[in-house]
């Protein structure tokens, strides 16, 4: 059992006076390339990170369900309506399971995790996926991981109320260790892509700029609408169906946003080809290109994200880009393992000089998706 799974199991035992029946855990994720392509029916390439949330579960003998968070040291009721707390994620999963026709009896659950929360590394999908897999195993439902991912997305969209795409839940449930996950957001097909960073002495360095994503909501909605307008102007169903040549028929913001989407989709497929050849230099260049496109055409970068990417370039890192929705949040660099620490120090000093918030850094390796760690009794 992983340490975090042991922690959740221990929290369950201490809280409820008996061992859990089932423990599962699921990772957060970082998107390597393919930004703002999901709602245009395009491609994304995330990978699961080696930070997870674990859920230890068991049936409630007295019919009184309880959710307990070891990290927040807090108990909540699983059957309650959404109240804007962490408990909405596991509640939403149980709700979505019942809506799909499963009989979900009263259960108890304890959670422990180490996915940085609210940083854009999708701790929310991690807690959903861990809950879904643990409950599915506890109840012996045998749902496929793909269906569990869709169910978690439903929980996040319709119970928690966050209109997210499918990337986070797919990455958390369907990733395999040492691989990235290519997702076709239209067909919902997925495919592992070998990402042997260790073999190439590379690592992923994520910089959380700690900038509140203040404009994120309106900025996101604006761009989504402009993409839909552009698709309509071109007479295609989604920008996924537009080509480089179609761009000649657009102007202004529609041109800029569509150009990003069309080229970003092409970059994702190109990036997959590069990884298949083990060509990390080409992969990294595509990351830099993606960043410039997000900065200049999609206009979702910030001075902090740009500073990180520039620093990575100056330090000779093969690739770097903002990751997630932008407007703050995180950037990711592909960097030689031995140089990650120096890059982080360099960026810290640079941020200090610019009077930016102090950033947080994380090193990740591509990790396994959600797993049940076993029936315990
Ligand atoms: P992100 O998914 O980018 O991390 P979100 O705002 O979507 O950010 O999700 C963060 C929320 O997920 C937290 O506010 C909390 O409610 C829940 N969460 C994250 N980690 C944990 C944890 N270890 N235990 C319980 N809830 C958690
Ligand atoms: Mg989230």
């Amino acid at each position: 059992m992983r340490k975090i799974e042991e922690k959740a199991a221990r929290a369950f035992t201490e809280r409820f006076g008996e061992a859990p029946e089932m423990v599962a855990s699921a990772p957060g994720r970082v998107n390597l390339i393919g930004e703002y392509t999901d709602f245009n029916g395009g491609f994304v390439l995330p990978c699961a990170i080696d930070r997870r949330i674990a859920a230890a579960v068991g049936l409630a003998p007295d019919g009184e369900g309880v959710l307990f968070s070891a990290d927040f040291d807090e108990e909540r009721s699983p059957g309650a309506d959404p109240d804007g707390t962490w408990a909405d994620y596991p509640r939403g999963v149980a709700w979505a399971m019942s809506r799909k026709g499963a009989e979900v009896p009263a259960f108890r659950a304890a959670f422990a995790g180490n996915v940085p929360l609210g940083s854009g590394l999708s701790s929310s999908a991690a807690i959903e996926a861990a809950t879904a897999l643990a409950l599915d195993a506890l109840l012996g439902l045998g749902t496929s991981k793909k269906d569990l991912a869709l169910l978690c997305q439903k929980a996040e969209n319709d119970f928690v109320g966050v209109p997210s795409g499918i990337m986070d839940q797919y990455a958390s449930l369907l990733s395999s260790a040492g691989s990235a996950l290519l997702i076709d957001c239209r067909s919902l097909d997925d495919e592992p892509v070998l990402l042997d960073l260790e073999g190439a002495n590379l690592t992923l360095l994520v910089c959380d700029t700690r900038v509140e994503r203040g404009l994120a909501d309106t900025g996101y909605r604006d761009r989504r609408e402009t993409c839909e307008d552009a698709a309509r102007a071109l007479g295609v169903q989604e920008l996924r169906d537009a080509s480089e040549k179609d761009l000649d028929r657009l102007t202004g913001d529609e041109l800029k946003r569509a150009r990003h989407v069309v080229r970003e989709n092409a970059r994702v497929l190109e990036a997959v080809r590069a990884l298949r050849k083990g060509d990390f230099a080409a992969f990294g260049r595509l990351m830099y290109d993606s960043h410039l496109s997000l900065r200049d055409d999609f206009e979702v970068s910030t001075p902090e994200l740009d500073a990180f990417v520039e620093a990575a370039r100056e330090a000779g890192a093969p690739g770097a880009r903002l990751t997630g929705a932008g407007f703050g949040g995180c950037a990711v660099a592909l960097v030689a393992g031995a140089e990650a620490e120096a890059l982080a120090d360099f960026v810290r000093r640079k941020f200090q000089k610019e009077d930016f918030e102090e950033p947080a850094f994380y090193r990740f390796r591509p990790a396994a998706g959600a797993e049940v760690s076993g029936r315990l009794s």
Side-chain angles (χ1 to χ4, degrees):
M1 237 201 259
R2 296 177 172 93
K3 277 212 178 75
I4 202 70
E5 293 162 347
E6 277 167 9
K7 188 174 171 191
R10 214 163 40 238
F12 188 105
T13 307
E14 278 165 17
R15 197 76 192 178
F16 305 126
E18 59 187 31
E21 293 172 65
M22 196 69 72
V23 180
S25 71
R29 62 95 191 95
V30 60
N31 192 22
L32 300 176
I33 195 160
E35 219 63 74
Y36 285 99
T37 45
D38 59 345
F39 59 71
N40 292 296
F43 302 99
V44 294
L45 188 71
C47 84
I49 56 177
D50 49 338
R51 297 287 196 101
R52 307 175 76 85
I53 297 182
V57 299
L59 296 176
D62 52 3
E64 280 289 322
V66 184
L67 303 171
F68 173 67
S69 160
D71 301 312
F72 295 114
D73 193 21
E74 199 175 85
E75 256 186 29
R76 301 260 164 187
S77 156
D81 289 334
D83 58 6
T85 68
W86 60 272
D88 287 349
Y89 300 94
R91 279 174 186 145
V93 168
W95 168 85
M97 278 185 165
S98 315
R99 289 235 345 197
K100 278 208 63 188
E103 191 76 47
V104 184
F107 66 95
R108 301 188 297 203
F111 301 92
N114 58 19
V115 184
L117 107 204
S119 287
L121 296 165
S122 215
S123 63
S124 60
I127 188 171
E128 289 157 7
T131 307
L133 195 60
L135 283 181
D136 186 79
L138 176 71
L139 305 177
L141 301 175
T143 313
S144 71
K145 284 188 173 167
K146 204 169 262 196
D147 283 341
L148 288 179
L150 292 167
L151 193 147
C152 289
Q153 188 198 13
K154 182 144 192 68
E156 180 136 359
N157 292 171
D158 299 344
F159 192 87
V160 181
V162 177
S164 51
I166 193 61
M167 169 165 67
D168 302 353
Q169 290 81 9
Y170 255 48
S172 187
L173 276 149
L174 299 171
S175 291
S176 37
S179 297
L181 189 74
L182 173 65
I183 306 168
D184 178 332
C185 297
R186 174 181 282 173
S187 70
L188 297 183
D189 287 338
D190 66 289
E191 202 182 318
V193 181
L194 189 67
L195 184 67
D196 183 15
L197 296 184
E198 242 152 284
N201 289 318
L202 291 168
T203 190
L204 295 171
L205 180 73
V206 166
C207 171
D208 180 353
T209 62
R210 302 268 186 89
V211 176
E212 282 274 337
R213 288 179 283 173
L215 273 175
D217 281 354
T218 44
Y220 182 90
R221 227 177 305 120
D222 274 6
R223 280 156 186 74
R224 205 173 163 140
E225 278 167 20
T226 308
C227 288
E228 285 161 9
D229 291 344
R232 216 170 297 120
L234 293 175
V236 295
Q237 188 199 338
E238 291 172 303
L239 285 180
R240 154 80 175 266
D241 305 304
S243 68
E244 186 73 29
K245 244 185 111 248
D246 290 326
L247 297 175
D248 297 342
R249 293 194 279 137
L250 296 171
T251 55
D253 275 355
E254 286 184 11
L255 169 62
K256 288 169 88 172
R257 309 302 185 235
R259 188 163 56 200
H260 166 74
V261 173
V262 167
R263 293 183 180 173
E264 184 79 352
N265 271 327
R267 275 190 290 269
V268 176
L269 298 179
E270 186 70 35
V272 168
R273 283 193 288 275
L275 286 183
R276 294 230 160 93
K277 287 189 281 185
D279 188 347
F280 287 105
F283 183 80
R285 280 194 298 274
L286 291 159
M287 292 175 78
Y288 282 124
D289 290 348
S290 169
H291 183 76
L292 293 183
S293 174
L294 286 160
R295 186 189 71 183
D296 300 336
D297 273 348
F298 223 70
E299 297 179 287
V300 293
S301 192
T302 61
E304 291 84 354
L305 293 166
D306 292 341
F308 174 77
V309 172
E310 268 325 298
R313 201 193 288 276
E314 283 168 36
R321 57 184 288 276
L322 74 83
T323 179
F327 303 105
C330 292
V332 58
L334 184 65
V335 57
E339 283 161 29
E341 210 40 59
L343 174 57
D345 284 341
F346 178 45
V347 174
R348 248 184 232 112
R349 285 195 302 274
K350 193 162 164 170
F351 273 40
Q352 228 166 20
K353 229 187 294 168
E354 297 284 340
D355 235 0
F356 295 159
E357 285 292 309
E358 187 175 343
F361 292 95
Y362 308 102
R363 271 177 79 159
F364 298 127
R365 58 182 77 197
E371 283 172 353
V372 175
S373 65
R375 176 170 281 280
L376 303 174
S377 57

